[in-house]
Amino acid sequence: MNRSSPGEPLTHNDNAHHELIIRVRDLDLWYGESQALHGIDLDLYRNNVTALIGPSGCGKSTFLRCLNRMNDLIPSVRVKGSVEMEGRDVNDARTDEVALRRLVGMVFQKPNPFPKSIYDNVAYAPRMHDLVSRKPDVDDLVEQALRDAGLWDEVKDKLKQPGTSLSGGQQQRLCIARAIAVRPEVILMDEPTSALDPISTATIEDLMDRLKLQFTIVTVTHNMQQAARVADYTAFFHLGEVVEYNDTKTMFSNPATKRAEDYITGRYG
Amino acid sequence: MSQSLDEITLQLKRRHRQSRLMKWLSMGALGLAGLFLVFFFTDMLMKGLPAFQQAQIQVKAHYSEQASKMPPAAVDEDIRDLVSRGWLRLIPRQIQDQPKLLGTTRTEWVLADGQVDQYLKDHPNRLSEDARARVDEMVAQGRAELRFNLRFFTSGDSKMPELAGIMAAALGTVWTMLVTLVIAFPIGVMTAIYLEEFAPDNRLTQLIEININNLAAIPSILFGLLGLAIFINFFGVPRSTPLVGGMTLALMTLPVIIIATRTALRSVPDSIRHAAFGVGCSRWQVVRDHVLPLAMPGIMTGSIIGLAQAMGETAPLIIVGMVAFIPDVGGTITDAATVLPAQVFTWSGEPDRAFVEKTAGGIVVLLAVLIALNATAVLLRRKFERRW
Ligand SMILES: Nc1ncnc2c1ncn2[C@@H]1O[C@H](COP(=O)(O)OP(=O)(O)OP(=O)(O)O)[C@@H](O)[C@H]1O
Ligand SMILES: [Mg+2]
C-alpha cells in the first residue's frame, strides 16, 4: 500500500493498529537562529511502538520533546507547524502543557528517579494529579505500575528504600513505572536503554512489547536491532528531516530511500 | 626511542622534590593558622574564665528598720567596705518584697565588693593594706571565697562590675536574630527561587544578580546608615530596639541568604527537574516537591552562616543605637536593647579594670554561641544531605 498523504508511513504494517493518536504536520523548530527541524510530517498510531532512528544530532530528541512540549523549558526554542492530539494543537495557547504532560509521559536516556523512596517515586504523580488519594488505592496503583514495569518482584520487599539505591536497569524500569502510573496515552522514550547492559535492555524491550497493549510508545534508539525487534513503524531522521517513515519490516528489509539503506546497513556513520 | 625506567625515575626526582616541598609548606601554613587559633582561644579563656567566678563573703545581715532606710546599716561596720554596694542597695527592695525578713538577722553569703574580687583573683586592685588583711583573715576562716558567678548569666548590665551580667545582651541578641531570621529567610529564599527557577535569563535579571552580589560586599556600617535613614527616620521605627536592629541586619543578611540559596538550587541536577516536569508538575510543584527538599541543607547552612555573621556584627547596630545601657532583663522587640557584641564593646570601654574580665567573658559567651550555630549548620548538612 502506498502513501496517500505526507506523514503516513510508506508501507502499512497489517498487524499494527491504525488509529491515529498524534498527527504532526509541517513542524519547524529553531534553537535561536539555527533550525533543528524542517517540515516534519508524521502520523503516530495508537498502541504501536514507533522508533525514531538517525545519526546523532539529526533532531530525534528535539522532535520527541515537541510531543510533550518539554522544549518549552529551553528559552531559545521557537516552534511552527502543528502537533495535533485529540483534534487539538498541543502548541495552541489554550493547551495547558502540564495537562499535556499528564497524557504524554516521558522516560529519559539516563535513569532519573526522584530522590525519594521507590514507593513515593511511583505514588507521587498519581497523588499529585488526584487520581487516587486513599492509602489502599495508592498501594494498589503502585503495585500495578511496578508489575506493569516488570519490577514488582524485585522491589516488593524494599518499597521504602530510596529509588536511587537500585541498579541502573532497575532504576530505568522504576522510571517507566513512574511514567505509566498516571495512565498516560503516550509514553516517549529517549534512548531508554543506552545506559544499560544487554540483559536490562532485553527486559525493557520485552516490556515495550507488553506496554504497547495499553499505551502508545514513541522511542528513540541508536540500536538498529532494537528498532527492528520492538517497533511497528520506524522513522529515519536526517538533518532535521524525516527521510523515510515506513513499516519496520519493510524499512529493514527493503528501504525505499538510499540514505535510510546506507544508515541501516552501517554505511553511514 | 623510548626511555628506560631509570631515566624516567631520574627526571621524576625534581618533580617529587617539588611536591614534597609544597606539602611541607601547606602543612606549615595550616599549623600556623592552628597556632593562631589556639593562642586566641587560650588567651580569651584565660582572661574570660575569671568572669564566671565572683568573690562572695559570709556576713551577718541585719534586716532592720534602719537598714531599709539606710542600707549600709545592714552589715557590721568592720566589713561594710568589703560588701558590694550594689547588693546593699538591693536590701530595701528585698525587705519590701518579703516583709517577713524585717527584724531578722541572718548569716548569708553575699556578693563582695569588686575590689575584693580582684584581690582574690590576684589582679591589680585598689584595696587598702588594712582591708587586705581583713580579707585574708576571712579567707582563712572560710568566710570569703570565689564562687560560681550565676549573676553573670542571669542579670543585665551594671556600672558595678560585680553586678554586671550578660543576660540582657543575650536576650537582645536572640530578639534581634529572630527579627532578622523572620524577615531575611523568607524574602531571601523566595527571591532566590524566583531568580533561579522562574525568571527568564535576560539583561534585567543579570543586572539584579550582579547587584545582589555587590550588596554582599558592602561594608556593614553602611547598612547601619541605611537602617537609620529608612527605618528610623522615615518609617519611625523606635531606635535602639531589636526590631530596628533586626531589620537592619536583615538587609545585611539578605544577599548572603540569596546567594547561598541560589547556589543550593543550582546544585540540584536538571535531570530531577526534567523528571518532575515529565510527570506533569507545574513549575511551583517542581520547586516545592523536588528541588527545595534537595536544596534545603544548603539553604539552611548558608542561612545559619549568614545569621552567625549578623550576630557578630556591631557597627551597624551602633548606628541604630543598639549600644544602650540595659540593666534589666526581659524587654521585648520594641524595648531598647543591646546585643552581645555591643555589650562586649561597652565593657571594653569601661575604665574599671574588673571589666576586662567581663569583656573577655562576654567574648567567650559570644564565641560559644557562634560555634554552636556553626556546628548546627554542619550537623544539618550532614543529616539532610542526600544523594541522587
Ligand atoms: N538545548 C539546545 N540548544 C541549542 N541547540 C540544541 C539544543 N539541543 C539540541 N540542539 C541542536 O539541535 C540539533 C538536534 O539535536 P538533538 O538532540 O535533537 O539530536 P538527536 O538526534 O537527539 O541526537 P543524539 O542521537 O545524539 O541524541 C543538534 O544540532 C543540536 O546541536
Ligand atoms: Mg538525543
Side-chain angles (χ1 to χ4, degrees):
Chain A
M1 187 209 261
N2 272 338
R3 121 143 101 185
S4 48
S5 79
E8 280 183 33
L10 291 178
T11 319
H12 268 209
N13 176 345
D14 293 331
N15 299 320
H17 294 254
H18 293 105
E19 186 192 337
L20 194 66
I21 184 161
I22 296 180
R23 178 201 296 270
V24 180
R25 284 294 177 273
D26 211 13
L27 183 72
D28 294 326
L29 183 142
W30 290 263
Y31 287 111
E33 290 304 302
S34 82
Q35 189 166 1
L37 296 179
H38 302 264
I40 308 277
D41 299 314
L42 208 65
D43 285 348
L44 298 170
Y45 298 113
R46 195 181 286 278
N47 297 103
N48 279 357
V49 176
T50 306
L52 312 181
I53 62 171
S56 188
C58 65
K60 307 179 294 293
S61 302
T62 303
F63 173 73
L64 204 64
R65 287 197 298 266
C66 288
L67 302 181
N68 68 344
R69 282 180 58 181
M70 284 295 268
N71 282 325
D72 287 14
L73 303 178
I74 306 168
S76 65
V77 164
R78 205 153 43 83
V79 185
K80 219 182 99 228
S82 76
V83 178
E84 257 174 51
M85 189 177 173
E86 296 183 349
R88 258 170 81 184
D89 190 348
V90 304
N91 288 312
D92 193 282
R94 276 164 306 167
T95 308
D96 186 336
E97 77 275 14
V98 173
L100 174 69
R101 290 184 199 131
R102 153 120 163 59
L103 289 186
V104 185
M106 191 157 200
V107 175
F108 298 82
Q109 177 170 7
K110 218 172 116 243
N112 57 353
F114 295 133
K116 300 179 187 293
S117 71
I118 294 171
Y119 182 94
D120 286 336
N121 257 284
V122 182
Y124 172 77
R127 274 203 200 117
M128 177 188 71
H129 291 299
D130 278 331
L131 301 183
V132 281
S133 53
R134 286 175 49 242
K135 172 91 169 103
D137 295 345
V138 182
D139 288 348
D140 286 349
L141 190 146
V142 169
E143 176 172 347
Q144 192 53 47
L146 285 170
R147 276 190 195 284
D148 288 348
L151 193 60
W152 177 251
D153 291 328
E154 289 156 73
V155 300
K156 62 169 181 274
D157 299 323
K158 47 178 184 179
L159 291 174
K160 291 287 159 234
Q161 284 182 23
T164 42
S165 68
L166 298 171
S167 77
Q170 290 173 324
Q171 285 188 24
Q172 195 60 301
R173 276 179 285 152
L174 180 60
C175 293
I176 293 176
R178 177 178 70 190
I180 63 186
V182 293
R183 308 267 103 202
E185 299 277 339
V186 183
I187 303 176
L188 310 176
M189 300 187 176
D190 194 349
E191 304 184 42
T193 61
S194 67
L196 305 183
D197 67 290
I199 294 179
S200 307
T201 301
T203 318
I204 288 184
E205 286 176 11
D206 288 347
L207 199 57
M208 284 155 92
D209 247 354
R210 277 189 288 118
L211 288 178
K212 75 173 182 184
L213 301 176
Q214 306 176 53
F215 309 100
T216 307
I217 298 176
V218 185
T219 180
V220 173
T221 181
H222 278 289
N223 180 332
M224 292 308 114
Q225 285 83 16
Q226 182 170 73
R229 274 192 300 266
V230 301
D232 299 296
Y233 286 100
T234 300
F236 172 63
F237 277 65
H238 187 48
L239 298 175
E241 286 177 56
V242 177
V243 175
E244 181 171 342
Y245 181 35
N246 213 335
D247 161 42
T248 299
K249 251 207 213 83
T250 319
M251 177 76 108
F252 283 92
S253 58
N254 186 19
T257 58
K258 181 84 169 58
R259 277 189 288 175
E261 185 181 354
D262 287 351
Y263 180 73
I264 288 164
T265 54
R267 251 171 298 187
Y268 180 95
Chain B
M1 196 189 78
S2 75
Q3 295 172 302
S4 75
L5 194 59
D6 283 339
E7 283 171 335
I8 299 174
T9 312
L10 208 67
Q11 284 181 350
L12 270 179
K13 237 183 189 152
R14 205 169 59 89
R15 278 151 60 185
H16 280 315
R17 215 174 33 238
Q18 264 180 353
S19 67
R20 258 201 311 278
L21 181 70
M22 285 321 288
K23 185 178 133 196
W24 287 118
L25 275 180
S26 46
M27 272 170 69
L30 177 69
L32 210 60
L35 217 62
F36 281 138
L37 216 62
V38 169
F39 178 76
F40 173 70
F41 274 113
T42 33
D43 184 57
M44 275 305 126
L45 281 178
M46 299 275 283
K47 287 213 183 92
L49 285 183
F52 302 151
Q53 287 198 318
Q54 194 70 37
Q56 298 201 356
I57 57 175
Q58 204 181 31
V59 298
K60 281 209 188 66
H62 313 291
Y63 293 97
S64 59
E65 196 68 56
Q66 195 194 359
S68 73
K69 293 198 189 74
M70 214 187 61
V75 289
D76 297 330
E77 204 166 339
D78 57 334
I79 51 171
R80 202 171 277 164
D81 57 332
L82 304 183
V83 176
S84 157
R85 262 163 300 152
W87 175 76
L88 284 174
R89 215 178 280 168
L90 289 175
I91 285 187
R93 198 191 311 165
Q94 256 182 304
I95 295 179
Q96 217 173 30
D97 291 350
Q98 298 167 266
K100 264 196 299 190
L101 276 178
L102 194 64
T104 61
T105 294
R106 300 166 173 233
T107 309
E108 286 180 343
W109 283 92
V110 304
L111 264 184
D113 186 74
Q115 295 303 322
V116 176
D117 178 62
Q118 293 298 300
Y119 175 60
L120 284 186
K121 286 171 182 163
D122 276 338
H123 291 167
N125 57 79
R126 297 191 304 269
L127 226 47
S128 66
E129 280 304 322
D130 161 59
R132 285 184 196 192
R134 277 179 292 146
V135 172
D136 287 340
E137 193 191 320
M138 286 183 84
V139 171
Q141 293 167 346
R143 289 173 57 213
E145 62 185 33
L146 290 172
R147 293 192 160 187
F148 179 66
N149 187 5
L150 189 63
R151 188 176 283 272
F152 183 71
F153 296 99
T154 55
S155 61
D157 198 6
S158 167
K159 287 295 163 204
M160 272 166 276
E162 68 267 25
L163 290 185
I166 196 94
M167 191 58 186
L171 270 183
T173 288
V174 169
W175 284 124
T176 308
M177 284 302 113
L178 268 180
V179 173
T180 306
L181 184 70
V182 165
I183 295 175
F185 188 76
I187 297 183
V189 171
M190 291 315 283
T191 306
I193 287 178
Y194 175 74
L195 287 175
E196 206 55 40
E197 305 287 336
F198 288 90
D201 188 22
N202 57 25
R203 277 281 173 77
L204 185 67
T205 47
Q206 279 166 17
L207 198 75
I208 293 176
E209 174 168 5
I210 291 173
N211 279 304
I212 287 174
N213 291 342
N214 284 340
L215 223 52
I218 284 181
S220 60
I221 196 156
L222 293 186
F223 286 104
L225 290 171
L226 195 67
L228 179 68
I230 294 183
F231 297 140
I232 298 182
N233 293 344
F234 190 75
F235 286 109
V237 181
R239 56 181 287 124
S240 300
T241 58
L243 186 60
V244 74
M247 285 161 85
T248 306
L249 290 184
L251 288 181
M252 215 189 89
T253 315
L254 255 180
V256 180
I257 294 185
I258 293 175
I259 292 170
T261 305
R262 294 191 69 180
T263 314
L265 292 176
R266 221 173 289 165
S267 73
V268 175
D270 267 344
S271 65
I272 300 286
R273 292 185 181 83
H274 289 159
F277 278 120
V279 297
C281 286
S282 67
R283 216 165 249 278
W284 171 238
Q285 283 171 325
V286 174
V287 174
R288 185 194 60 194
D289 296 344
H290 304 286
V291 179
L292 267 187
L294 286 176
M296 223 30 178
I299 295 176
M300 287 199 284
T301 340
S303 305
I304 291 176
I305 288 171
L307 272 192
Q309 258 177 32
M311 193 167 180
E313 211 41 79
T314 333
L317 295 183
I318 293 178
I319 306 246
V320 296
M322 281 198 79
V323 274
F325 174 75
I326 310 295
D328 296 314
V329 175
T332 59
I333 54 168
T334 47
D335 295 317
T338 187
V339 290
L340 284 171
Q343 182 71 76
V344 168
F345 172 73
T346 315
W347 282 342
S348 72
E350 292 281 346
D352 192 331
R353 239 205 83 92
F355 276 107
V356 172
E357 63 182 50
K358 303 284 168 200
T359 308
I363 291 175
V364 170
V365 171
L366 180 59
L367 278 180
V369 176
L370 288 180
I371 290 174
L373 267 185
N374 282 330
T376 318
V378 173
L379 281 182
L380 278 178
R381 160 152 284 173
R382 283 268 168 77
K383 184 147 185 286
F384 291 108
E385 203 156 58
R386 279 187 277 181
R387 285 170 302 122
W388 49 79

